Amino acid sequence: MAKLTVFFKYKAIDSFLFETGVVHIGRDETNDLTIDSLAVAPAHAAIISRDNGGSTIKQLNENFPLIVNGQKVKECDLNHNDTITLGKHDIIYSITETSEPDTTDENHYDYSNAHVGGFDADDGFVTLPPANLQVMSGTSIGKVLPLKKAMTRLGNTGSGVVVISKRRDGYYVSALEAKGLLTLNNQPLGNHYMKLNNNDVLVVNQTSLLFFLG
């Protein structure tokens, strides 16, 4: 099973699961995945999923560029965590076995790490110091969680989810699902992005996490 997650300004706004067949992407509402933006063609691209589990994406309108991992393409095979850019929107293609993470453990962290908009430090677009989260409470106290990818999602669906993303000038956190206790330095975490500074304390569902650089 494959999943498409649509991001706009580093915030996840839609997702789509599919197994086999053709997925049409564009501005027109007749598409399987609709993106309401004038920068997206009415019929922009199509993803063809094969029986062997692989997928190919094709450009459908030459006047609207199709960009995969920062490169303009007319057609290419897709790999796990590839970034498809249509106008100002990024779509992360990922391969998954289940549609939802296991949320039975209160200390379970669900990571959806993705290369978004060409801002993955491993690819040389961004030079940022390495960053980590250290668990400061609960049964996993002391555990260090490296923030290696361009976007990290953590928390549990139904009880509060946050997203930490890399930008050119640092690391930012935002509430993706504002349920439960979500705070930064004892202040409620809103749905807008807040920049993280060294030794900030993030609380996600009663678990304290220390953000530190290096």
Side-chain angles (χ1 to χ4, degrees), residues 27-201:
R27 187 173 72 244
D28 192 271
E29 293 183 355
T30 59
N31 289 282
D32 301 296
L33 181 57
T34 302
I35 299 177
D36 186 14
S37 170
L38 293 177
V40 177
H44 200 124
I47 296 177
I48 298 93
S49 181
R50 301 185 295 273
D51 291 337
N52 63 3
S55 295
T56 300
I57 189 168
K58 293 184 178 181
Q59 181 183 19
L60 299 180
N61 190 319
E62 293 185 355
N63 295 321
F64 290 81
L66 172 62
I67 299 173
V68 177
N69 297 333
Q71 302 293 321
K72 289 184 178 181
V73 301
K74 293 184 179 297
E75 179 178 339
C76 73
D77 289 338
L78 291 173
N79 299 302
H80 180 62
N81 275 351
D82 275 353
T83 300
I84 305 161
T85 302
L86 307 182
K88 296 181 179 181
H89 290 73
D90 290 309
I91 304 173
I92 306 303
Y93 170 86
S94 57
I95 299 171
T96 180
E97 295 299 326
T98 59
S99 59
E100 292 294 337
D102 179 13
T103 60
T104 57
D105 182 356
E106 65 179 1
N107 294 308
H108 170 78
Y109 288 87
D110 172 44
Y111 293 93
S112 297
N113 296 317
H115 172 172
V116 178
F119 295 120
D120 190 330
D122 294 336
D123 292 339
F125 287 90
V126 175
T127 302
L128 289 175
N132 306 272
L133 293 173
Q134 184 171 13
V135 181
M136 304 299 290
S137 64
T139 58
S140 298
I141 188 169
K143 184 177 182 180
V144 175
L145 313 171
L147 301 175
K148 294 182 178 180
K149 295 295 183 177
M151 185 169 289
T152 300
R153 177 182 182 272
L154 57 92
N156 291 321
T157 299
S159 58
V161 177
V162 302
V163 173
I164 297 175
S165 65
K166 286 183 181 181
R167 296 189 182 180
R168 293 185 181 276
D169 60 339
Y171 296 82
Y172 287 77
V173 62
S174 176
L176 180 60
E177 183 181 298
K179 296 181 180 180
L181 180 62
L182 303 175
T183 65
L184 178 64
N185 298 328
N186 295 319
Q187 298 299 315
L189 187 63
N191 57 10
H192 56 284
Y193 276 90
M194 301 176 67
K195 189 174 183 179
L196 289 168
N197 298 303
N198 200 33
N199 294 327
D200 277 352
V201 176

